[in-house]
Amino acid sequence: MQTLTYEFPADRPPARRTHVGVVGSGDLEVLMTPANGTARVRVRTSVDGFDTVWRTVLERFFARHPVSASFELNDFGATPGVVTLRLWQAIEEGRS
């Protein structure tokens, strides 16, 4: 089990808290809470040694979607595509 933390510049707070996905084989749970001025991401993953992959995926996502919130990502072997999808789902739900 590994815990990773990241921060990215952001200026668009979501309207509300959201919860998407589940912690299950090949999936990812995302909990998002609105914040001001930055995107703070804490990743808890069952797969060690993928720090560079996580950083790259998250950098790309937040460069396109500068959502200022705290993100809790609970991972159980999700692929980069699933990570991007779950983050996108969280911000979409946070808009409504």
Side-chain angles (χ1 to χ4, degrees), residues 56-71:
T56 301
V57 169
L58 295 171
E59 283 175 346
R60 287 180 185 164
F61 183 84
F62 287 104
R64 293 183 184 119
H65 307 284
V67 176
S68 57
S70 292
F71 293 85

Side-chain angles (χ1 to χ4, degrees), residues 14-53:
R16 64 184 185 92
R17 295 175 58 153
T18 61
H19 173 211
V20 298
V22 296
V23 183
S25 182
D27 209 343
L28 176 80
E29 175 185 53
V30 176
L31 301 135
M32 180 183 74
T33 304
N36 290 322
T38 190
R40 288 184 182 92
V41 183
R42 183 169 67 180
V43 179
R44 287 185 215 147
T45 179
S46 62
V47 184
D48 292 346
F50 283 84
D51 309 43
T52 305
V53 174

